[in-house]
Coordinates of all heavy atoms in Angstrom, one line a residue:
E1 N 194.0 186.5 238.4 CA 194.5 187.8 237.8 C 194.0 187.8 236.2 O 193.5 186.9 235.7 CB 196.0 187.8 237.8 CG 196.7 186.6 237.0 CD 198.2 186.7 237.2 OE1 198.8 187.2 238.1 OE2 198.7 186.3 236.1
F2 N 194.1 189.1 235.9 CA 193.6 189.3 234.6 C 194.2 190.5 233.9 O 195.0 191.2 234.6 CB 192.1 189.4 234.4 CG 191.5 190.6 235.3 CD1 191.3 191.8 234.8 CD2 191.2 190.2 236.7 CE1 190.8 192.8 235.6 CE2 190.7 191.3 237.4 CZ 190.5 192.5 236.9
V3 N 194.1 190.6 232.7 CA 194.8 191.7 232.0 C 193.7 192.9 231.6 O 192.7 192.4 231.0 CB 195.6 191.4 230.7 CG1 196.1 192.6 229.9 CG2 196.7 190.4 231.1
V4 N 194.0 194.1 231.8 CA 193.2 195.2 231.4 C 194.0 195.9 230.3 O 195.1 196.3 230.4 CB 192.9 196.1 232.6 CG1 192.2 197.5 231.9 CG2 191.9 195.5 233.5
R5 N 193.3 196.0 229.1 CA 194.0 196.7 228.0 C 193.1 198.2 227.9 O 192.0 198.2 227.9 CB 193.6 196.0 226.7 CG 194.4 196.7 225.5 CD 194.3 196.0 224.2 NE 194.7 194.8 224.2 CZ 194.3 193.7 223.4 NH1 193.3 193.9 222.4 NH2 194.9 192.7 223.3
L6 N 193.8 199.1 227.9 CA 193.4 200.5 227.7 C 193.4 200.9 226.2 O 194.4 201.2 225.8 CB 194.1 201.5 228.6 CG 194.3 201.0 230.1 CD1 195.1 202.1 230.8 CD2 193.1 200.7 230.8
A7 N 192.2 201.0 225.7 CA 192.2 201.0 224.2 C 192.7 202.3 223.7 O 193.5 202.3 222.8 CB 190.7 200.9 223.7
K8 N 192.4 203.5 224.5 CA 192.9 204.7 223.9 C 194.4 205.0 224.1 O 195.0 205.5 223.3 CB 192.2 205.8 224.6 CG 190.6 206.0 224.2 CD 190.1 207.1 225.0 CE 188.6 207.1 224.7 NZ 187.9 207.8 225.8
R9 N 194.9 204.3 225.1 CA 196.3 204.4 225.4 C 197.1 203.3 224.7 O 198.4 203.5 224.8 CB 196.5 204.6 226.9 CG 195.9 205.7 227.6 CD 195.9 205.6 229.2 NE 195.6 206.8 229.7 CZ 194.4 207.2 229.9 NH1 193.4 206.6 229.5 NH2 194.1 208.4 230.6
G10 N 196.6 202.2 224.5 CA 197.4 201.2 223.8 C 198.3 200.5 224.8 O 199.4 200.0 224.4
I11 N 197.8 200.4 226.0 CA 198.6 199.7 227.1 C 197.9 198.6 227.7 O 196.7 198.6 227.9 CB 199.3 200.7 228.2 CG1 198.3 201.4 228.8 CG2 200.2 201.6 227.5 CD1 198.8 202.2 230.0
E12 N 198.7 197.6 228.2 CA 198.0 196.5 228.9 C 198.6 196.4 230.3 O 199.8 196.7 230.5 CB 198.3 195.2 228.2 CG 197.6 195.1 226.9 CD 197.6 193.7 226.3 OE1 198.3 192.9 226.8 OE2 196.8 193.4 225.4
L13 N 197.7 196.2 231.2 CA 198.2 196.1 232.6 C 197.6 194.8 233.4 O 196.5 194.4 233.2 CB 197.4 197.3 233.4 CG 198.0 198.7 232.9 CD1 197.1 199.8 233.5 CD2 199.4 199.0 233.2
L14 N 198.5 194.2 234.1 CA 198.1 193.0 234.9 C 197.5 193.4 236.1 O 198.1 194.0 237.0 CB 199.4 192.2 235.0 CG 199.1 190.7 235.6 CD1 198.3 189.8 234.5 CD2 200.5 190.1 236.0
V15 N 196.3 192.8 236.4 CA 195.5 193.0 237.6 C 195.6 191.9 238.6 O 195.0 190.8 238.3 CB 194.1 193.5 237.3 CG1 193.4 193.9 238.7 CG2 193.9 194.6 236.4
P16 N 196.4 191.9 239.6 CA 196.5 190.7 240.5 C 195.3 190.6 241.5 O 194.6 191.6 241.6 CB 197.8 191.0 241.3 CG 198.1 192.5 241.2 CD 197.3 193.0 240.0
P17 N 195.1 189.4 242.1 CA 194.0 189.2 242.9 C 193.7 190.1 243.9 O 192.6 190.4 244.3 CB 194.2 187.8 243.3 CG 195.2 187.2 242.5 CD 196.0 188.2 242.0
D18 N 194.9 190.7 244.6 CA 194.7 191.6 245.6 C 194.6 192.9 245.5 O 194.7 193.9 246.3 CB 195.9 191.2 246.7 CG 197.3 191.6 246.0 OD1 197.3 191.7 244.7 OD2 198.1 191.8 246.8
K19 N 194.4 193.3 244.1 CA 194.4 194.8 243.7 C 193.1 195.1 242.9 O 192.6 194.2 242.1 CB 195.7 195.2 243.0 CG 196.7 195.5 243.9 CD 197.8 196.1 243.0 CE 199.1 196.2 244.0 NZ 200.4 196.3 243.2
A20 N 192.7 196.3 243.1 CA 191.4 196.8 242.3 C 192.0 197.3 240.9 O 193.1 197.6 240.8 CB 190.7 197.9 243.0
I21 N 191.2 197.4 240.0 CA 191.6 198.0 238.7 C 192.2 199.3 238.9 O 193.1 199.6 238.4 CB 190.5 197.8 237.5 CG1 190.1 196.4 237.4 CG2 190.8 198.5 236.4 CD1 189.0 196.2 236.4
I22 N 191.3 200.1 239.7 CA 191.7 201.5 239.8 C 193.1 201.7 240.5 O 193.9 202.6 240.2 CB 190.8 202.4 240.6 CG1 190.2 201.7 241.9 CG2 189.6 202.8 239.7 CD1 189.5 202.7 242.7
D23 N 193.5 200.7 241.3 CA 194.9 200.8 241.9 C 196.0 200.6 240.9 O 196.9 201.3 240.9 CB 194.9 199.7 243.0 CG 194.0 199.9 244.2 OD1 193.6 201.1 244.5 OD2 193.6 199.0 244.8
V24 N 195.6 199.7 240.0 CA 196.6 199.3 239.0 C 196.8 200.4 238.0 O 197.8 200.8 237.6 CB 196.2 197.9 238.3 CG1 197.0 197.7 237.1 CG2 196.2 196.8 239.3
L25 N 195.6 201.0 237.7 CA 195.6 202.2 236.8 C 196.5 203.3 237.4 O 197.4 203.9 236.7 CB 194.2 202.7 236.5 CG 193.3 201.8 235.8 CD1 191.8 202.5 235.7 CD2 193.8 201.6 234.4
R26 N 196.2 203.7 238.8 CA 197.0 204.6 239.4 C 198.5 204.5 239.4 O 199.2 205.3 239.1 CB 196.4 204.8 240.9 CG 195.3 205.7 240.9 CD 194.8 205.9 242.5 NE 193.5 206.4 242.5 CZ 192.6 206.0 243.2 NH1 192.9 204.9 244.1 NH2 191.4 206.5 243.2
E27 N 198.7 203.1 239.7 CA 200.2 202.9 239.7 C 200.9 203.1 238.3 O 202.0 203.3 238.2 CB 200.4 201.5 239.9 CG 200.2 201.3 241.6 CD 200.3 199.8 242.1 OE1 200.7 198.9 241.2 OE2 199.8 199.5 243.2
A28 N 200.1 203.0 237.3 CA 200.5 203.2 235.9 C 200.5 204.6 235.5 O 200.7 205.0 234.4 CB 199.7 202.2 234.9
G29 N 200.0 205.4 236.4 CA 199.8 206.9 236.3 C 198.5 207.2 235.4 O 198.4 208.4 234.8
V30 N 197.6 206.4 235.4 CA 196.4 206.6 234.6 C 195.4 207.1 235.8 O 194.9 206.2 236.5 CB 196.0 205.3 233.9 CG1 194.5 205.8 233.2 CG2 197.0 204.9 232.9
E31 N 195.0 208.3 235.7 CA 194.0 208.7 236.7 C 192.7 208.8 236.1 O 192.4 209.4 235.2 CB 194.4 210.2 237.1 CG 195.6 210.3 238.1 CD 195.3 209.6 239.4 OE1 194.1 209.7 239.9 OE2 196.3 209.2 240.1
I32 N 191.7 208.1 236.8 CA 190.3 208.3 236.4 C 189.6 208.8 237.6 O 190.0 208.6 238.6 CB 189.7 206.9 235.9 CG1 189.6 205.8 237.1 CG2 190.5 206.4 234.7 CD1 188.6 204.8 236.6
K33 N 188.4 209.5 237.3 CA 187.7 210.0 238.3 C 186.9 209.0 239.2 O 186.4 208.1 238.7 CB 186.6 210.9 237.7 CG 187.0 212.4 237.6 CD 185.7 213.2 237.4 CE 186.1 214.3 236.3 NZ 184.8 214.8 235.5
T34 N 187.2 209.2 240.5 CA 186.5 208.2 241.4 C 185.8 208.9 242.6 O 186.3 210.2 242.8 CB 187.4 207.1 242.1 OG1 188.4 207.8 242.8 CG2 188.0 206.3 240.9
S35 N 185.0 208.4 243.3 CA 184.4 209.1 244.5 C 184.3 208.0 245.7 O 185.2 208.1 246.6 CB 183.1 209.7 244.1 OG 182.6 210.4 245.3
C36 N 183.3 207.3 245.6 CA 183.2 206.4 246.6 C 184.1 205.3 246.7 O 184.4 204.9 247.9 CB 181.7 205.7 246.6 SG 181.4 204.5 245.3
E37 N 184.5 204.7 245.6 CA 185.5 203.6 245.5 C 184.9 202.4 246.2 O 185.6 201.6 246.7 CB 186.8 204.0 246.0 CG 187.4 205.1 245.3 CD 188.9 205.3 245.3 OE1 189.5 204.6 245.9 OE2 189.4 206.3 244.8
Q38 N 183.5 202.2 246.4 CA 182.8 201.2 246.9 C 181.7 200.7 245.9 O 180.9 199.9 246.4 CB 182.2 201.5 248.2 CG 183.2 201.8 249.2 CD 182.6 202.2 250.5 OE1 181.7 201.6 251.0 NE2 183.2 203.2 251.1
G39 N 181.8 201.1 244.7 CA 180.8 200.6 243.7 C 179.3 201.1 244.0 O 178.3 200.5 243.5
V40 N 179.3 202.3 244.6 CA 177.9 202.9 244.8 C 177.6 204.2 244.1 O 176.4 204.2 243.6 CB 177.9 203.3 246.4 CG1 176.5 203.9 246.8 CG2 178.1 202.0 247.2
C41 N 178.5 204.9 243.7 CA 178.3 206.3 243.2 C 178.2 206.3 241.6 O 177.6 207.2 241.1 CB 179.2 207.3 243.6 SG 180.9 207.1 242.9
G42 N 178.9 205.5 241.0 CA 178.9 205.5 239.5 C 180.0 206.5 239.0 O 180.0 206.6 237.7
T43 N 180.7 207.3 239.7 CA 181.6 208.1 239.1 C 182.6 207.6 238.3 O 183.0 208.1 237.2 CB 182.4 208.8 240.3 OG1 181.4 209.5 241.2 CG2 183.3 210.1 239.9
C44 N 183.1 206.3 238.5 CA 184.2 205.7 237.8 C 183.7 204.9 236.6 O 184.5 204.3 236.0 CB 184.9 204.8 238.8 SG 184.0 203.4 239.2
L45 N 182.5 205.0 236.4 CA 181.8 204.2 235.2 C 182.6 204.3 234.0 O 183.0 205.3 233.4 CB 180.4 204.7 235.1 CG 179.4 203.7 234.6 CD1 179.3 202.7 235.7 CD2 178.0 204.5 234.3
T46 N 182.9 203.0 233.4 CA 183.9 202.9 232.2 C 183.2 202.1 231.2 O 182.6 201.1 231.7 CB 185.2 202.5 232.8 OG1 185.8 203.3 233.6 CG2 186.1 202.2 231.5
Q47 N 183.3 202.4 230.0 CA 182.8 201.5 228.9 C 183.7 200.3 228.7 O 185.0 200.4 228.6 CB 182.7 202.3 227.6 CG 181.3 202.8 227.3 CD 181.3 203.5 226.0 OE1 182.0 204.5 225.8 NE2 180.5 203.1 225.2
V48 N 183.1 199.2 228.6 CA 183.8 197.9 228.2 C 183.7 197.7 226.8 O 182.6 197.7 226.2 CB 183.1 196.7 228.9 CG1 183.9 195.4 228.6 CG2 183.1 197.0 230.5
I49 N 184.8 197.5 226.1 CA 184.8 197.3 224.6 C 184.9 195.7 224.4 O 184.3 195.2 223.4 CB 186.2 197.9 224.1 CG1 186.0 199.4 224.2 CG2 186.3 197.6 222.5 CD1 187.3 200.3 223.8
E50 N 185.7 195.0 225.2 CA 185.7 193.5 224.9 C 186.1 192.9 226.3 O 186.6 193.5 227.2 CB 187.1 193.3 224.0 CG 186.9 192.0 223.2 CD 188.2 192.0 222.5 OE1 188.6 192.8 221.7 OE2 188.9 190.9 222.7
G51 N 185.6 191.7 226.5 CA 185.8 190.9 227.7 C 184.4 191.0 228.5 O 183.6 191.6 228.2
E52 N 184.5 190.1 229.5 CA 183.4 189.9 230.5 C 183.7 190.6 231.9 O 184.4 189.9 232.5 CB 182.9 188.4 230.6 CG 181.5 188.3 231.1 CD 181.3 186.7 231.3 OE1 182.0 186.0 230.7 OE2 180.5 186.5 232.1
P53 N 183.0 191.6 232.3 CA 183.3 192.0 233.6 C 182.6 191.2 234.6 O 181.7 190.5 234.4 CB 182.6 193.5 233.6 CG 181.9 193.7 232.3 CD 182.0 192.4 231.5
E54 N 183.2 191.2 235.7 CA 182.7 190.6 237.1 C 182.1 191.8 237.8 O 183.0 192.5 238.6 CB 183.7 189.7 237.7 CG 183.2 189.1 238.9 CD 184.4 188.4 239.6 OE1 184.6 187.2 239.3 OE2 185.0 188.9 240.5
H55 N 180.9 192.0 237.8 CA 180.3 193.1 238.5 C 180.3 193.0 240.0 O 179.8 192.0 240.5 CB 179.0 193.6 238.0 CG 179.0 193.8 236.4 ND1 179.4 195.0 236.1 CD2 178.5 193.1 235.5 CE1 179.3 195.0 234.7 NE2 178.8 193.8 234.4
N56 N 180.8 194.0 240.8 CA 180.7 193.9 242.2 C 180.1 195.2 242.7 O 180.2 195.4 244.0 CB 182.2 193.8 242.8 CG 182.8 192.4 242.5 OD1 182.1 191.5 242.5 ND2 184.0 192.4 242.2
D57 N 179.5 195.9 241.8 CA 179.0 197.3 242.3 C 177.5 197.1 242.7 O 176.9 196.2 242.4 CB 179.1 198.3 241.1 CG 178.2 197.8 239.9 OD1 178.7 197.0 239.1 OD2 177.1 198.4 239.9
L58 N 176.9 198.2 243.2 CA 175.5 198.3 243.5 C 174.9 199.4 242.8 O 173.8 199.9 243.1 CB 175.5 198.6 245.1 CG 176.0 197.7 245.9 CD1 176.1 198.1 247.4 CD2 175.2 196.3 246.0
Y59 N 175.6 199.9 241.8 CA 175.2 201.1 241.1 C 174.4 200.7 239.7 O 173.3 201.2 239.5 CB 176.4 202.0 240.7 CG 176.0 203.2 239.9 CD1 175.5 204.3 240.6 CD2 176.2 203.2 238.5 CE1 175.1 205.4 239.7 CE2 175.9 204.3 237.8 CZ 175.4 205.5 238.3 OH 175.0 206.5 237.7
L60 N 175.0 199.9 239.0 CA 174.3 199.5 237.7 C 173.2 198.4 237.9 O 173.0 197.8 239.0 CB 175.4 198.8 236.8 CG 176.5 199.5 236.2 CD1 177.6 198.7 235.6 CD2 176.1 200.6 235.3
S61 N 172.2 198.6 237.1 CA 170.9 197.8 237.2 C 171.4 196.3 236.7 O 172.4 196.0 236.1 CB 169.9 198.3 236.2 OG 170.3 198.1 234.9
D62 N 170.5 195.3 236.9 CA 170.7 194.0 236.6 C 170.8 193.9 235.1 O 171.7 193.1 234.5 CB 169.6 193.1 236.9 CG 169.5 192.8 238.5 OD1 170.5 193.2 239.0 OD2 168.5 192.4 239.0
E63 N 170.1 194.7 234.3 CA 170.1 194.6 232.9 C 171.5 195.2 232.3 O 172.0 194.6 231.5 CB 169.0 195.6 232.3 CG 167.8 194.9 232.0 CD 166.7 195.7 231.5 OE1 167.0 196.9 231.0 OE2 165.5 195.4 231.7
E64 N 171.9 196.3 233.1 CA 173.2 196.8 232.7 C 174.3 195.8 233.1 O 175.3 195.7 232.3 CB 173.5 198.2 233.4 CG 172.6 199.2 232.7 CD 172.7 200.6 233.6 OE1 172.6 200.5 234.9 OE2 172.7 201.6 233.1
H65 N 174.3 195.1 234.1 CA 175.2 194.0 234.4 C 175.3 193.0 233.4 O 176.3 192.7 232.9 CB 174.9 193.5 235.7 CG 175.3 194.3 237.0 ND1 174.8 194.2 238.2 CD2 176.1 195.3 237.1 CE1 175.2 195.0 239.0 NE2 176.1 195.7 238.4
E66 N 174.1 192.6 232.9 CA 174.0 191.6 231.9 C 174.6 192.0 230.5 O 175.3 191.2 229.9 CB 172.6 191.0 231.8 CG 172.4 189.8 232.6 CD 170.8 189.5 232.6 OE1 170.1 189.6 231.6 OE2 170.3 189.4 233.8
S67 N 174.3 193.2 230.3 CA 174.7 193.7 228.9 C 176.3 193.7 228.9 O 176.9 193.6 227.8 CB 174.2 195.1 228.6 OG 175.0 196.1 229.2
G68 N 177.0 194.1 229.9 CA 178.4 194.0 230.1 C 179.1 195.1 229.4 O 180.3 195.1 229.0
R69 N 178.4 196.1 229.1 CA 179.0 197.3 228.3 C 179.6 198.3 229.3 O 180.4 199.1 228.7 CB 177.8 197.9 227.4 CG 176.9 197.0 226.6 CD 177.7 196.7 225.4 NE 178.0 197.8 224.4 CZ 177.2 198.4 223.6 NH1 176.0 197.9 223.5 NH2 177.5 199.4 222.9
L70 N 179.2 198.3 230.5 CA 179.8 199.4 231.4 C 180.2 198.6 232.7 O 179.6 197.5 233.0 CB 178.7 200.3 231.9 CG 178.1 201.5 230.8 CD1 176.8 201.9 231.3 CD2 179.1 202.3 230.5
M71 N 181.2 199.2 233.3 CA 181.6 198.5 234.6 C 182.2 199.6 235.5 O 182.6 200.8 235.1 CB 182.6 197.4 234.4 CG 183.9 197.8 233.7 SD 185.3 197.8 234.8 CE 185.2 196.0 235.2
T72 N 182.4 199.2 236.7 CA 182.7 200.2 237.8 C 184.3 199.6 238.2 O 184.3 198.8 239.0 CB 182.0 200.2 239.0 OG1 181.7 198.9 239.5 CG2 180.7 201.0 238.7
P73 N 185.3 200.2 237.7 CA 186.7 199.7 237.9 C 187.2 199.8 239.3 O 188.2 199.3 239.8 CB 187.7 200.4 237.0 CG 186.8 201.5 236.6 CD 185.4 201.2 236.6
C74 N 186.4 200.6 240.3 CA 186.8 200.7 241.6 C 186.6 199.5 242.4 O 187.4 199.1 243.2 CB 186.1 201.8 242.3 SG 184.3 201.7 242.5
V75 N 185.5 198.7 242.0 CA 185.2 197.2 242.7 C 185.0 196.1 241.9 O 185.3 195.0 242.2 CB 184.0 197.5 243.6 CG1 184.2 198.3 244.8 CG2 182.8 197.9 242.9
S76 N 184.7 196.4 240.5 CA 184.5 195.2 239.6 C 185.7 194.8 239.1 O 186.7 195.5 239.0 CB 183.4 195.7 238.6 OG 182.2 195.9 239.2
R77 N 185.6 193.5 238.6 CA 187.0 192.8 238.1 C 186.6 192.3 236.6 O 185.6 192.6 236.1 CB 187.2 191.8 239.1 CG 187.5 192.4 240.4 CD 188.1 191.4 241.6 NE 189.6 191.0 241.0 CZ 190.6 191.8 241.3 NH1 190.5 192.9 241.9 NH2 191.8 191.3 240.8
A78 N 187.3 191.0 236.3 CA 186.8 190.5 235.0 C 186.8 188.9 235.2 O 187.4 188.4 236.1 CB 188.2 190.7 234.1
R79 N 185.8 188.4 234.5 CA 185.7 187.1 234.4 C 186.5 186.4 233.3 O 187.1 185.3 233.4 CB 184.2 186.7 234.1 CG 183.2 186.9 235.2 CD 182.2 185.7 235.1 NE 181.5 185.8 236.4 CZ 180.4 186.5 236.6 NH1 179.9 187.4 235.6 NH2 179.8 186.6 237.7
S80 N 186.8 187.3 232.3 CA 187.6 186.8 231.1 C 189.1 187.2 231.5 O 189.3 188.0 232.4 CB 187.1 187.6 229.9 OG 187.0 189.0 230.2
K81 N 190.0 186.6 230.7 CA 191.4 186.8 230.9 C 191.8 188.2 230.6 O 192.8 188.8 231.1 CB 192.2 185.8 230.2 CG 192.1 184.4 230.8 CD 193.5 183.7 230.8 CE 193.5 182.3 231.4 NZ 193.1 182.3 232.8
L82 N 191.0 188.8 229.6 CA 191.3 190.0 229.1 C 190.0 191.0 229.2 O 189.0 190.5 228.9 CB 191.8 190.0 227.6 CG 192.1 191.3 227.0 CD1 193.2 192.1 227.4 CD2 192.3 191.0 225.4
L83 N 190.3 192.2 229.6 CA 189.3 193.0 229.6 C 189.6 194.3 228.8 O 190.8 194.9 229.3 CB 188.8 193.5 231.1 CG 187.5 194.0 231.4 CD1 186.3 193.2 230.9 CD2 187.4 194.4 232.9
V84 N 189.0 194.8 227.8 CA 189.3 196.0 227.0 C 188.5 197.1 227.4 O 187.3 196.9 227.3 CB 189.4 195.7 225.6 CG1 189.9 197.0 224.8 CG2 190.1 194.6 225.1
L85 N 189.0 198.2 227.9 CA 188.3 199.3 228.4 C 188.5 200.5 227.5 O 189.5 200.8 227.0 CB 188.6 199.7 229.9 CG 188.3 198.5 231.0 CD1 188.8 199.0 232.3 CD2 186.9 198.1 231.1
D86 N 187.5 201.4 227.5 CA 187.6 202.5 226.6 C 188.4 203.6 227.5 O 187.7 204.8 227.7 CB 186.2 203.0 226.3 CG 186.2 204.1 225.4 OD1 187.2 204.3 224.6 OD2 185.1 204.9 225.1
L87 N 189.5 203.5 227.8 CA 190.3 204.5 228.7 C 191.7 204.8 227.8 O 192.2 204.0 227.1 CB 190.6 203.8 230.0 CG 189.6 203.7 230.9 CD1 190.1 203.0 232.2 CD2 189.0 205.0 231.3
Ligands
FES1 FE1 182.0 205.2 243.1 FE2 183.4 203.6 241.5 S1 184.1 205.3 242.5 S2 181.3 203.4 241.9

């Protein structure tokens, strides 16, 4: 599990191992645009402010994965205990 902090909203949410970030966001009433929810389309693309994403998508390039500045919260998770997103 890890914590997602939503920088614009100033809230922190715990993401358990069996849930996607977007599920946790929805439960907290935070709606973000999604489409495929399989890491393919890039609709949910979100900026990472702090922390290390664990990329599970097929959308971003290897370079973008390495830079860690963007992530797809529909399928990707965090390697770090805290992930700060621009949401
Ligand atoms: Fe398509 Fe996340 S909704 S990549």
Side-chain angles (χ1 to χ4, degrees):
E1 63 181 27
F2 55 94
V3 170
V4 167
R5 182 187 297 157
L6 310 184
K8 287 178 186 158
R9 293 170 171 82
I11 57 173
E12 290 190 352
L13 302 167
L14 188 67
V15 184
D18 61 338
K19 276 189 190 159
I21 295 176
I22 50 165
D23 296 332
V24 173
L25 291 176
R26 274 188 197 129
E27 281 170 17
V30 180
E31 285 292 332
I32 67 163
K33 264 192 226 158
T34 63
S35 178
C36 71
E37 303 199 357
Q38 292 178 41
V40 177
C41 71
T43 305
C44 66
L45 214 56
T46 300
Q47 262 185 299
V48 179
I49 295 172
E50 203 186 305
E52 196 187 338
E54 179 184 273
H55 298 287
N56 295 319
D57 66 277
L58 299 168
Y59 178 79
L60 294 167
S61 68
D62 289 348
E63 271 175 23
E64 287 171 318
H65 281 161
E66 265 167 49
S67 85
R69 306 280 300 276
L70 291 168
M71 64 108 60
T72 53
C74 65
V75 290
S76 296
R77 308 186 63 79
R79 285 217 169 86
S80 48
K81 289 219 175 305
L82 173 70
L83 199 62
V84 184
L85 299 177
D86 187 25
L87 289 174

